[in-house]
Amino acid sequence: MSTQEYEEELRSERSYVAGLYERLDAERARVKRAYKEALGGTGRTPMERDDEVRALAKELKRLHVADSGLCFGRLDTVAGEHTYIGRIGLFDEENEYRPVLLDWRAPASRAFYTATAATPENMRRRRQFHTRGRQVVDFTDEVLGRPGGGERGDAALLAAVNAPRGEGMRDIVSTIQAEQDEIIRLDHPGVLVIEGGPGTGKTVVALHRVAYLLYTQRERMERHGVLVVGPNPAFLNHISRVLPSLGESDVVFMTAGDLVPGLRVTAEDTPEAARLKGSLRILDVLAAAIADRQRLPEQPVPIQLGEVTARIDAETAEWARQEARESGLPHNEARAVFTEIITYVLTERAIARIGRGWLTREDRESWERLRAGLVKDLAEDDKFTAVLDELWPVLTPHTLLAELYSSPERLRAAGADPALSRVDGEAWTVSDVPLIDELIDMLGRDKVADKAAERAASRERKAEAAYASGVLDSLVKREDMMDDEDHLFAHDLLYAEDLAERFVEHDTRELAERAAADRDWTYRHVVVDEAQELSEMDWRALMRRCPARSFTVVGDLAQRRSVAGATSWAEMVEPYVPGRWVYRSLSVNYRTPAEIMTVAAALLAEFAPGVQPPESVRACGVQPWSRRVTEDELPAAIEEFVRDEAERVGTSVVIGPPGVPGAVPASETKGLEFDAVLVVEPERILADGPRGAAELYVALTRATQRLGVLHRGPLPRALTGLAGTGAPARAGNG
């Protein structure tokens, strides 16, 4: 293509994309009008109106998201037909709804990601646009179906992977590679395990798969939403922009420590305690701890009934306990069975003594009338209630577990390992979360507490309704001060009485907010990232939240640090989905340049010799460096790295063992990427626990451009290939 031809094509493409934006603006204006009409509409219940407002607000968000990078490519068939590919689909309403822009998730868009020179899929050309805002800056073409043609998207891909890293993960909607696209569109109803080494894009592939599933199965998935579980809050913040950038918002982001609402994780387990808590064998300990609280009286307990005294003896309590256990009900719900048996025995004995000489069992009416009175007396008897609390107490998961940990006697009674003992029973760790989650089901509901909570919620709703009646004036004033572009609040134009009615009738929170606050919420699909770190008990908690067992599982066994984590995917998922899980791997490293991956691969070969490192798609031309420093020189060397990187465009991080000033542990950088990384004292990281090598491997593979190492002791053998040992801290800055 000559320069003149290119310029003419560029003008044509700019005109076409400008037309797409005109359609987008028109569609946005239409939805905005419908939104306003829904706000002020009559003839429907507030719930119906609220549902319509929510749907239109969601559509507006989707259209706003599409503003950036609306159209990023074009496919030309061998017959000369053009198809434009973008973030959303747009149609020509005046021409039988002919598509003028295809959603990247649509089946007809797949060739944009999968067609190659060897397998062109009836395509002649793939064109990729480079845009800035709404403007097409330029484009690159790839001619398909001829010998010697390259794989798709090299120019766009390399531009993306070489770009400086920002604050969060970006979507890859314009540069999805063929092996990634195959996984994204995989039609599998069970568990999909995606394994890949550092930089292979497994996380972003999983997120794009969620967007694809929401597109193809929206009605089935949207009502329950999607749960994304990551290793730490920093990671979740890093990836949280991807799905919204693809127009999807019904997604809940959590760590494994967030699965029980309201529980605050404040402590960290020893490796041995984490291993014990993560094993399914802990279920026997929990069951034994509950059974230990179902007691028998050491001596008969007298209970006064009218003028006679009846006694709760060990034999009676044993019968009641046996019946309650065999009921199959959770502990707190089985208390009713226990109470019923005890009550029956006490009243039978009391009636026999009260009616001696004048009442027989044949007089059932009198017998039962007398029993009813005695049952009422027992229900109001504080001493009887206190005895029940002693023999079959109402238990909460938090109290049971805290008292178990802080009592050597209770640990022994439950057959637990002494390694679980701790002084502060309520110093919760992430390994406690699945145990508390399990106990919620094992113990069941406290109906008395539930009723109290329901009454409190009712009082709160009434207070909100009263408050709502005074809101309208302030909303109307604010309405007068804001233009259409500045507000999309579903309640701004509702009448005060409607606001009050909404508070009383139904929950007005967004799906993600409601789901995150509800431990019993079930999701239609769950994504688990860094899944190799999850224990058997973690998996039980997650499976409980997705009855359909629809999962996308992402991880790398070679990066496992947790002693309770996975050593085999089959061992973790097969028990829950026998024969319903598939495995896919990613082999290309899009993040880590070859120079850095060579260093990391040498370490991998030492601690996981059977694992093949991913192949880097690029080189950066900058060799990683190392420098030996004294203890006194270390702070200044770190400060020099931080100062130098602050002058550059991009991101950086210092990773090191505990006690290194300004450093974060490698575990907090899992799944993250930075332009530059400084690893401090790798020899100490290696020595820190049984998974120190995996921790160092994670640290070495976070950088996209520059890697430096500072060490006080001898450089670990696996890292002796680092260039410029003894070089100054600025070495390798390029």
Side-chain angles (χ1 to χ4, degrees), residues 295-375:
R295 314 300 292 270
L296 303 178
E298 296 181 2
Q299 299 292 331
V301 180
I303 300 293
Q304 194 70 28
L305 282 172
E307 297 179 356
V308 303
T309 300
R311 286 176 172 76
I312 305 174
D313 53 32
E315 183 180 8
T316 299
E318 174 61 33
W319 176 32
R321 183 171 71 174
Q322 191 66 23
E323 291 288 334
R325 288 176 175 177
E326 291 179 357
S327 71
L329 295 171
H331 169 86
N332 290 333
E333 296 172 30
R335 174 180 162 118
V337 178
F338 182 84
T339 302
E340 182 180 5
I341 299 296
I342 297 291
T343 299
Y344 172 79
V345 172
L346 291 181
T347 55
E348 281 287 303
R349 290 173 177 173
I351 291 170
R353 295 179 61 187
I354 293 172
R356 184 177 297 161
W358 62 270
L359 181 62
T360 66
R361 290 185 181 275
E362 283 71 28
D363 187 359
R364 297 307 303 172
E365 184 177 347
S366 298
W367 192 283
E368 292 303 327
R369 189 165 53 249
L370 182 54
R371 183 199 299 281
L374 295 176
V375 168

Side-chain angles (χ1 to χ4, degrees), residues 255-258 262-268 426-433:
T255 69
D258 300 326
L263 182 68
R264 274 189 75 234
V265 172
T266 59
E268 186 173 348
E426 295 184 342
W428 304 118
T429 70
V430 71
S431 301
D432 291 326
V433 175

Side-chain angles (χ1 to χ4, degrees), residues 562-618:
S562 170
V563 294
T567 56
S568 159
W569 298 120
E571 289 179 3
M572 289 299 187
V573 302
E574 178 69 21
Y576 300 101
V577 283
R580 284 187 57 230
W581 70 282
V582 296
Y583 174 90
R584 295 290 185 272
S585 63
L586 293 169
S587 58
V588 179
N589 189 332
Y590 301 100
R591 176 180 68 214
T592 317
E595 295 88 344
I596 296 176
M597 199 60 216
T598 298
V599 175
L603 174 64
L604 181 67
E606 281 202 354
F607 78 92
V611 177
Q612 183 70 24
E615 181 180 355
S616 295
V617 76
R618 67 189 175 99

Side-chain angles (χ1 to χ4, degrees), residues 206-284:
L207 295 175
H208 281 67
R209 183 166 191 257
V210 168
Y212 176 75
L213 292 174
L214 284 167
Y215 175 80
T216 57
Q217 305 174 30
R218 187 166 301 280
E219 186 174 347
R220 186 179 74 86
M221 295 186 65
E222 198 170 42
R223 293 181 182 178
H224 290 264
V226 174
L227 173 63
V228 176
V229 178
N232 54 60
F235 173 84
L236 294 178
N237 182 61
H238 179 65
I239 69 172
S240 63
R241 298 170 178 84
V242 174
L243 283 167
S245 77
L246 298 173
E248 305 299 347
S249 58
D250 291 332
V251 181
V252 176
F253 294 89
M254 288 186 181
T255 69
D258 300 326
L259 290 176
V260 176
L263 182 68
R264 274 189 75 234
V265 172
T266 59
E268 186 173 348
D269 276 316
T270 64
E272 178 62 8
R275 183 187 67 80
L276 292 168
K277 293 177 184 180
S279 169
L280 292 180
R281 288 189 290 273
I282 198 70
L283 292 171
D284 294 333

Side-chain angles (χ1 to χ4, degrees), residues 145-196:
R146 66 180 185 184
E151 290 294 328
R152 67 152 305 272
D154 287 347
L157 172 65
L158 290 176
V161 297
N162 282 316
R165 266 41 188 177
E167 293 184 359
M169 179 179 284
R170 298 165 292 192
D171 66 64
I172 58 169
V173 65
S174 62
T175 58
I176 294 170
Q177 301 299 288
E179 72 167 357
Q180 298 172 329
D181 186 78
E182 179 185 354
I183 294 172
I184 288 170
R185 298 176 192 263
L186 185 65
D187 182 17
H188 180 70
V191 174
L192 167 62
V193 176
I194 306 171
E195 184 162 31

